[in-house]
Amino acid sequence: MMKAKTWVIAKLFDGEPTESNFRLIEEEVPSPKQGEFVCEALYLSVSPYESSSDKAPLGSALMGHQVSRVTDTKNSEYPVGTLIQCYSGWRSRSLINPKENPEALKLLKVPNLAGKEPSLALGVMGIPGVTAYRGLLEVCEPKAGDTVLVSGAAGAVGSVVGQIAKIKGCKVIGFGGSKEKCDWLKSLGFDHVFNYKEVNLDDALTSAAPNGVDCFFDSVGGEVSCRVLQHMNDLGRVCVSGAMSSYNYGDKQPLMPSPFHACLYKRLKIQGFSVSSCDARFEESRTQIFKWMNEDKVKYKEEVQEGFEKMPKAFLTALKGKVAGKIIVKV
Ligand SMILES: NC(=O)c1ccc[n+]([C@@H]2O[C@H](COP(=O)([O-])OP(=O)(O)OC[C@H]3O[C@@H](n4cnc5c(N)ncnc54)[C@H](OP(=O)(O)O)[C@@H]3O)[C@@H](O)[C@H]2O)c1
């Protein structure tokens, strides 16, 4: 029997959480039985959508992905030293049985990253990267010459969406929430970048997309997204990949303007996307992303905070959307 440190929900979120919503406890981790293994967290993902308190009842562990190393095993497919990514939550150590509920654990081996940090499996080489790739291609179906708009563009997903849209020959417009984020997006090759909090969106979109927007990859939702729909071309395609503006409202969602008017008159395709629907193409997708990374066509940014104790602080930073790229906690 070993011990693990685990962050649990001390108080359900009611609006924006604070550090008092989290508590660090010790849990016992049993020794592995046949087919099981124990792994120790190396890097943990903190993101508002993985770890909102509606995903975990009071007293239970915050959820989220991590990259961890197998340290004790009774499963020959996962020898000691194997690097995995799993959905173990904010735990320093976990017992895993790949046969029991592997879907919920979202267990994968970290691919060979040719010496790059395994933390990439939580960002550009993981769920955010594959979401960007598959969501853009399958829902937005971008063609060379199309104008693609990306909200939450400086996030882990949006930054990859914009770069892949550039690879596909599109004109790319990105929304970022600060000057630092907008500068970074420019350096990635986005054609037009706006701090959507500061500009008049109609003016900005009229100047950046005088012929309209063909594809909209949306991670945010709410009023800004409804405004974008007004600038879309007939038969435009919208990938609804996230709803950052409305997480943590729970059942107190604010009323939003309706997107249906624009949808009807412009004959838009507005489709939700979930990366879990493309498990079969996950490895193929990240192989392609890795190739682009090595060709310097896809770049990424990681903000690494050190120390398992920093999890709530890092999460609150992610929630405020202050940092460009992917926020990771290194244990
Ligand atoms: N569909 C899927 O399968 C799938 C898989 C993974 C992730 N996602 C979704 O993709 C979205 C982005 O994920 P990510 O990993 O890129 O997240 P991220 O790195 O945390 O970036 C999200 C960005 O959204 C922006 N944002 C706009 N309004 C916000 C608000 N009210 N609160 C907080 N942030 C706000 C922030 O940037 P600015 O301040 O610059 O706007 C923030 O940096 C999430 O909504 C997530 O649910 C979907």
Side-chain angles (χ1 to χ4, degrees):
M1 190 83 75
M2 286 164 286
K3 300 270 189 209
K5 287 185 275 181
T6 303
W7 281 103
V8 298
I9 302 257
K11 209 164 49 169
L12 290 178
F13 302 175
D14 182 17
E16 266 204 24
T18 64
E19 289 199 41
S20 66
N21 290 87
F22 308 91
R23 185 170 58 242
L24 190 57
I25 62 161
E26 246 186 25
E27 285 181 321
E28 303 221 308
V29 179
S31 298
K33 296 199 288 283
Q34 200 49 43
E36 297 177 338
F37 62 83
V38 171
C39 60
E40 273 185 32
L42 301 176
Y43 298 96
L44 295 105
S45 162
V46 276
S47 63
Y49 61 94
E50 285 177 334
S51 314
S52 56
S53 74
D54 53 3
K55 296 216 170 122
L58 197 62
S60 66
L62 272 298
M63 290 320 295
H65 286 85
Q66 58 172 256
V67 163
S68 47
R69 177 176 282 124
V70 176
T71 53
D72 190 3
T73 186
K74 291 254 173 58
N75 184 321
S76 56
E77 274 183 50
Y78 295 89
V80 168
T82 307
L83 288 179
I84 58 159
Q85 57 193 91
C86 56
Y87 193 57
S88 284
W90 294 18
R91 291 192 163 86
S92 64
R93 184 176 273 144
S94 332
L95 176 75
I96 292 184
N97 184 337
K99 284 232 167 86
E100 270 172 25
N101 213 355
E103 175 58 25
L105 280 169
K106 298 186 177 79
L107 175 65
L108 286 171
K109 288 187 185 170
V110 174
N112 181 352
L113 294 172
K116 292 188 165 61
E117 282 299 307
S119 54
L120 293 188
L122 298 175
V124 63
M125 283 293 289
I127 286 173
V130 174
T131 299
Y133 181 42
R134 298 244 68 92
L136 178 69
L137 265 54
E138 291 177 11
V139 181
C140 290
E141 303 178 282
K143 298 184 294 298
D146 278 353
T147 296
V148 176
L149 189 129
V150 189
S151 65
V157 175
S159 54
V160 180
V161 171
Q163 294 179 84
I164 296 178
K166 283 305 297 174
I167 293 169
K168 298 290 169 190
C170 302
K171 176 162 99 173
V172 181
I173 305 170
F175 286 165
S178 68
K179 181 176 182 313
E180 186 209 11
K181 287 180 171 183
C182 290
D183 289 346
W184 181 54
L185 293 172
K186 281 248 172 68
S187 77
L188 296 181
F190 281 59
D191 298 283
H192 299 275
V193 179
F194 296 108
N195 181 343
Y196 63 99
K197 295 172 184 166
E198 289 183 350
V199 296
N200 175 306
L201 281 182
D202 288 325
D203 292 348
L205 288 176
T206 303
S207 73
N211 298 322
V213 173
D214 302 293
C215 308
F216 177 26
F217 191 101
D218 189 23
S219 295
V220 176
E223 283 191 43
V224 172
S225 303
C226 285
R227 176 68 30 211
V228 171
L229 297 184
Q230 306 300 327
H231 292 263
M232 294 210 57
N233 288 328
D234 273 13
L235 300 173
R237 286 86 64 199
V238 182
C239 176
V240 181
S241 168
M244 292 294 298
S245 66
S246 61
Y247 296 149
N248 295 321
Y249 279 114
D251 53 8
K252 296 182 197 149
Q253 294 288 334
L255 283 178
M256 291 296 170
S258 164
F260 296 122
H261 187 268
C263 179
L264 173 64
Y265 288 102
K266 293 168 184 282
R267 295 175 291 153
L268 303 177
K269 174 178 96 169
I270 303 181
Q271 188 177 318
F273 172 80
S274 171
V275 71
S276 55
S277 66
C278 44
D279 280 358
R281 305 195 70 177
F282 200 91
E283 291 303 341
E284 166 204 332
S285 304
R286 63 177 174 181
T287 301
Q288 176 60 73
I289 294 169
F290 195 56
K291 189 164 173 284
W292 282 327
M293 279 166 58
N294 287 325
E295 293 166 356
D296 226 22
K297 290 181 180 159
V298 168
K299 302 192 180 81
Y300 61 90
K301 195 176 223 168
E302 283 184 336
E303 156 92 10
V304 180
Q305 309 210 352
E306 301 228 356
F308 188 70
E309 289 66 27
K310 297 263 178 67
M311 291 295 291
K313 211 171 234 130
F315 174 73
L316 297 175
T317 307
L319 201 59
K320 289 197 166 68
K322 289 224 163 109
V323 175
K326 177 75 192 161
I327 303 185
I328 306 269
V329 170
K330 183 175 184 187
V331 176

